[in-house]
Amino acid sequence: MTQEPRSQVLAGLEGVVAATSTICFIDGKEGRLLYRGYDIADLAEKATFEEVCYLLWYGELPTGSQLQALREQLNASRALPEEILTLLRLFPKEAAPMDILRTAVSALGVIDPQASENSAEANLNKAIRLTAQIPAIIAAFDRIRRGEEPIPPKEELAHAANFLYMLKGKESDPLSARAFDVALILHADHELNASTFSGRVTASTLSDMHSAVTSAIGTLKGPLHGGANEQVMKMLLEIATPERTEAYVMGMLAQKRRIPGFGHRVYRTEDPRAKFLRRLSRDLGEQAGELKWWEITRKVEEIAFREKGLYPNVDLYSASTYFYMGIPMDLFTPIFAISRISGWTAHILEQYADNRLIRPLSEYVGPTRREFIPLEQR
Ligand code: CMC
């Protein structure tokens, strides 16, 4: 059996352009990130997460009345269906919230009022519903596992503040609410990252939106992707004091271990999101009167750059940012999903609008043709 090599294999699909898209632009050399042409720096400083959702889904920033209509749609979907609350109560309390989220989103696909519809309008409605429901699932599960009752959302609160309210049972301080909103803006989309790609692959078979989002959540979970923010916080807690940072990080590098929160497939300079999160983490640390976690992170950053020329990615400072807000560590990656649902669904809508099945090839490197040996002779 002979077989011509099909083409050069690009491990990890590095450098492969797999879709055209009008949603997100990354300049990995200059460290710039645009959503629909708007610089992330402008959006982080001047917009709200709801405006960014609208921008990602519709391609334009909303007018006042369009934004108000979106807020009303989100409000209408925030309260979880009874079936989902029942399901959340059935899960073991020690289950990983990311696994709970993946399963609950899949379950929502069974009971969505437009479950069997795949029109553009139905899918946009599903995108809005999922964006409202994901934070409610995470907050409700966290309360249930602590033996407390889920708290219904407050209509007058914005999306970010509503999550913090449903989680903690009281309205958060203004700095935390704005910091969380900015963190959501910064994580909303990132071109063909692994989870978005897996969502698009599922959508490309013309499977439904909930299936595509379930695929994306499963992909986000891994420590090389969204799981890195939780790993960063575990590392900071292990380091424990700024004085211990040097020895700890040098030890990691000597063992050839990856430092979570550093490196990126696309950026060759600092991730433009890191700058904002570094500032947010510091502001929250100052407010809490406990700058230690920010200081340790800063030291890790200095050493990683000095020793390996590594730049921080979005996950480095999001860890201490969420920690300062009093959010449990195992909710950090689910929080990534609270934001990225906007980008995932924008990409899934784009995939449906101009679909071609995504089906690459592999280069076969296994044994060539072998004679079959009957069971009794093996
Ligand atoms: N710590 C130590 N060395 C690193 C790191 C790191 N975090 N990241 C990259 N390197 C080194 C790596 O060892 C390699 O060096 P050498 O050529 O000497 O062997 C070089 O940089 C290139 O690494 P790579 O694995 O070929 O790069 P990749 O594009 O396949 O991986 C990555 C990208 C994000 C998986 C990787 O940088 C990594 O494992 N980072 C840690 C996990 C992390 O923070 N993930 C979050 C990514 S950004 C947001 C998100 O997607 O959630």
Side-chain angles (χ1 to χ4, degrees):
M1 188 185 79
T2 57
Q3 192 193 324
E4 292 298 313
R6 285 175 149 161
S7 66
Q8 192 196 354
V9 178
L10 294 159
L13 297 182
E14 181 162 3
V16 173
V17 179
T20 54
S21 176
T22 61
I23 300 172
C24 182
F25 172 75
I26 304 174
D27 182 339
K29 278 199 196 119
E30 296 291 322
R32 286 187 69 204
L33 170 61
L34 312 181
Y35 299 163
R36 302 274 192 194
Y38 292 98
D39 199 299
I40 190 78
D42 288 331
L43 295 170
E45 272 163 18
K46 298 169 196 161
T48 59
F49 179 64
E50 287 89 327
E51 285 173 88
V52 168
C53 289
Y54 191 99
L55 175 67
L56 292 171
W57 292 327
Y58 297 92
E60 299 294 338
L61 285 167
T63 62
S65 58
Q66 288 166 335
L67 183 61
Q68 186 50 31
L70 176 60
R71 285 199 184 116
E72 283 165 19
Q73 284 172 291
L74 288 166
N75 271 338
S77 304
R78 258 189 251 283
L80 291 174
E82 209 39 59
E83 293 93 324
I84 300 298
L85 286 170
T86 305
L87 190 65
L88 296 180
R89 291 183 212 281
L90 288 174
F91 289 129
K93 291 190 170 36
E94 57 283 359
M98 203 56 184
D99 294 340
I100 300 293
L101 180 64
R102 188 194 57 227
T103 311
V105 164
S106 182
L108 278 170
V110 180
I111 55 173
D112 189 272
Q114 293 176 296
S116 59
E117 291 176 50
N118 214 14
S119 66
E121 198 193 344
N123 282 324
L124 194 49
N125 291 337
K126 290 181 196 181
I128 295 170
R129 273 197 285 278
L130 279 166
T131 302
Q133 290 161 332
I134 283 179
I137 291 168
I138 296 163
F141 178 68
D142 187 65
R143 292 188 69 83
I144 289 168
R145 72 179 174 173
R146 286 188 274 121
E148 292 174 18
E149 271 305 296
I151 292 183
K154 266 194 182 171
E155 287 218 341
E156 62 275 25
L157 291 180
H159 194 70
N162 234 324
F163 169 70
L164 296 174
Y165 171 71
M166 288 188 284
L167 185 71
K168 298 187 173 196
K170 62 177 171 53
E171 287 188 31
S172 55
D173 63 274
L175 177 62
S176 297
R178 179 59 190 155
F180 196 70
D181 195 43
V182 173
L184 294 187
I185 292 170
L186 296 173
H187 286 80
D189 195 46
H190 214 232
E191 202 218 44
L192 273 199
N193 61 91
S195 56
T196 301
F197 184 58
S198 71
R200 285 189 81 133
V201 170
T202 303
S204 86
T205 70
L206 298 185
S207 181
D208 66 290
M209 178 162 280
H210 286 79
S211 298
V213 172
T214 305
S215 301
I217 295 173
T219 309
L220 183 70
K221 178 182 157 182
L224 295 187
H225 191 5
N229 55 15
E230 185 180 344
Q231 299 307 318
V232 170
M233 199 61 228
K234 285 186 178 153
M235 173 179 74
L236 298 180
L237 290 170
E238 269 179 45
I239 296 174
T241 64
E243 301 71 45
R244 282 166 41 98
T245 314
E246 176 84 23
Y248 186 95
V249 176
M250 292 305 280
M252 273 186 101
L253 292 176
Q255 292 166 33
K256 305 238 173 290
R257 281 167 61 201
R258 295 280 165 123
I259 313 174
F262 289 88
H264 202 276
R265 178 61 65 79
V266 184
Y267 293 116
R268 292 294 161 255
T269 182
E270 178 169 288
D271 182 327
R273 303 166 293 181
K275 181 175 87 178
F276 291 93
L277 290 158
R278 189 189 286 115
R279 201 187 302 153
L280 289 176
S281 165
R282 191 189 169 115
D283 291 350
L284 288 161
E286 275 169 355
Q287 176 171 273
E290 168 68 294
L291 260 185
K292 182 169 86 168
W293 306 114
W294 182 85
E295 284 168 358
I296 298 175
T297 315
R298 198 81 182 97
K299 274 193 183 297
V300 177
E301 198 186 339
E302 279 164 24
I303 300 162
F305 185 75
R306 185 190 74 207
E307 294 299 319
K308 287 210 71 173
L310 289 170
Y311 290 100
N313 59 47
V314 71
D315 291 308
L316 185 70
Y317 282 97
S318 55
S320 50
T321 298
Y322 303 147
F323 195 75
Y324 280 131
M325 286 180 203
I327 296 174
M329 260 194 307
D330 61 0
L331 298 191
F332 290 7
T333 309
I335 285 172
F336 200 144
I338 291 181
S339 166
R340 189 56 60 83
I341 183 64
S342 57
W344 286 334
T345 47
H347 278 268
I348 293 164
L349 292 167
E350 192 179 56
Q351 184 68 39
Y352 286 140
D354 184 18
N355 186 55
R356 182 133 200 260
L357 176 73
I358 300 174
R359 200 296 188 194
L361 299 171
S362 65
E363 185 69 41
Y364 180 69
V365 294
T368 49
R369 192 147 190 208
R370 299 199 277 184
E371 284 305 316
F372 181 81
I373 302 163
L375 183 60
E376 57 281 7
Q377 291 172 29
R378 274 178 244 154

